[in-house]
Amino acid sequence: MTETDSGAADIRLVAIDMDGTLLDPAHRLSPRVKQAIARARAQGVRIVLTSGRPVSGLAPFLAELGIDGDEDYCIACNGGLVTRVGSGEVVVEYPLSFDDFVFCERIARELGVHFQALDGKRLYTPNQDISHYTVFDSHLSHVPLSYRSVADMDPSMSFIKLMMVDEPSVLDAAITRLPYALTDRFAVLKSAAFFLEVFDHRAGKGPSLQTLAAHLGIERSQVMAIGDQENDLTMLQFAGTSVAMGNAVDVVKATARYQTTTNAEDGVALAIERFVLGS
């Protein structure tokens, strides 16, 4: 860790980003990370996975970690959805409308980038030349993928996530040209070099983590958050103990109070061992 600390703090909830943080570069849970999480949970500490993925993309790892009871929670879709894992009860939800979909798809088309939308059960793209990043996201999120023109979409649909996706250089160039009409209407941020997320201004990992902590009667000072990308910034800003991964982007490292090792070096385990277990 890059800042000294006397040992374990009074941490009652640990919010952990998934890709680039909890999971190693092969998108797996390492034995040391699993052990640290198990030890923390045995002490009564809540482990909350927080991700841009939908719940279906979190489910295999929640099961592997044993975080699957009625008293367990997860934050999905960058804070657009908070659910009780065992029952599926929704604690927080910020759906986007079909009009939102049409508006954002038009802007993506004008900017020359690929576009996709998730309704919770299926990933849709209006692009006939489907981006390989969309295929990747479908696989990662464990949701089926469909090509569907805007005219063929059901106007009664709502969505939990809208995204612009493309090669990093193409996406970065598009970001410099995002119209005010988009950024005024929605919160917009990158969750990966090739993903630009569009969601309700009220959502975000930080606001949803704050709502969940209040729901559970946990103080801000008792929350630790660990992340690596821009979509983790608000939860790092909220948490009493904030930790950036060694592989985090610069703005995350500048925001977090502490820095751990990379996701290839069990950085999550090291942070839990230090601040929760006191070892």
Side-chain angles (χ1 to χ4, degrees):
M1 313 299 284
T2 57
E3 183 171 327
T4 58
D5 188 84
S6 58
D10 179 26
I11 303 295
R12 293 180 56 197
L13 188 158
V14 182
I16 312 173
D17 169 56
M18 289 274 293
D19 299 291
T21 301
L22 178 71
L23 305 180
D24 68 16
H27 299 285
R28 295 178 300 201
L29 291 163
S30 77
R32 184 177 176 186
V33 166
K34 289 174 66 174
Q35 181 184 49
I37 287 175
R39 289 177 60 197
R41 296 187 73 234
Q43 292 185 8
V45 176
R46 292 181 180 272
I47 303 295
V48 178
L49 303 193
T50 68
S51 178
R53 298 189 190 199
V55 175
S56 58
L58 300 176
F61 302 102
L62 290 166
E64 188 174 350
L65 292 168
I67 305 174
D68 52 8
D70 281 343
E71 295 306 312
D72 295 314
Y73 296 82
C74 69
I75 298 175
C77 300
N78 283 318
L81 182 67
V82 181
T83 63
R84 191 188 293 261
V85 179
S87 66
E89 174 193 346
V90 174
V91 179
V92 173
E93 186 174 23
Y94 297 109
L96 298 167
S97 70
F98 183 75
D99 286 344
D100 294 331
F101 166 82
V102 172
F103 176 83
C104 293
E105 188 279 333
R106 176 180 58 80
I107 290 176
R109 192 161 15 94
E110 292 172 350
L111 292 171
V113 295
H114 288 82
F115 183 75
Q116 62 188 48
L118 180 73
D119 71 349
K121 297 179 181 179
R122 184 172 292 271
L123 188 65
Y124 297 91
T125 178
N127 308 122
Q128 285 184 308
D129 61 329
I130 299 175
S131 170
H132 64 97
Y133 292 118
T134 295
V135 176
F136 169 74
D137 195 27
S138 171
H139 173 74
L140 202 67
S141 300
H142 298 278
V143 291
L145 169 64
S146 293
Y147 160 70
R148 194 74 55 83
S149 70
V150 175
D152 289 334
M153 295 288 281
D154 180 354
S156 68
M157 294 178 71
S158 63
F159 305 90
I160 56 174
K161 185 161 66 166
L162 303 175
M163 297 173 67
M164 297 183 192
V165 301
D166 226 298
E167 298 297 332
S169 59
V170 175
L171 190 61
D172 286 343
I175 288 171
T176 66
R177 297 184 291 119
L178 290 177
Y180 175 75
L182 179 76
T183 56
D184 180 60
R185 181 168 170 174
F186 304 100
V188 181
L189 55 78
K190 289 178 73 174
S191 58
F194 37 80
F195 287 153
L196 184 72
E197 313 254 353
V198 180
F199 53 94
D200 190 293
H201 273 299
R202 296 169 296 171
K205 291 186 178 184
S208 289
L209 177 59
Q210 182 175 1
T211 299
L212 178 59
H215 177 76
L216 296 171
I218 296 175
E219 299 292 330
R220 179 178 185 177
S221 62
Q222 298 171 315
V223 175
M224 179 167 82
I226 314 171
D228 74 308
Q229 288 289 334
E230 290 181 22
N231 60 330
D232 300 318
L233 285 172
T234 55
M235 76 170 182
L236 293 170
Q237 291 162 345
F238 168 74
T241 302
S242 55
V243 182
M245 298 296 291
N247 52 286
V249 297
D250 289 344
V251 67
V252 169
K253 290 179 179 179
T255 299
R257 182 177 178 186
Y258 302 98
Q259 183 177 318
T260 186
T261 54
T262 71
N263 65 324
E265 302 168 302
D266 294 323
V268 165
L270 182 63
I272 291 173
E273 290 163 0
R274 182 66 173 273
F275 294 112
V276 178
L277 304 175
S279 57

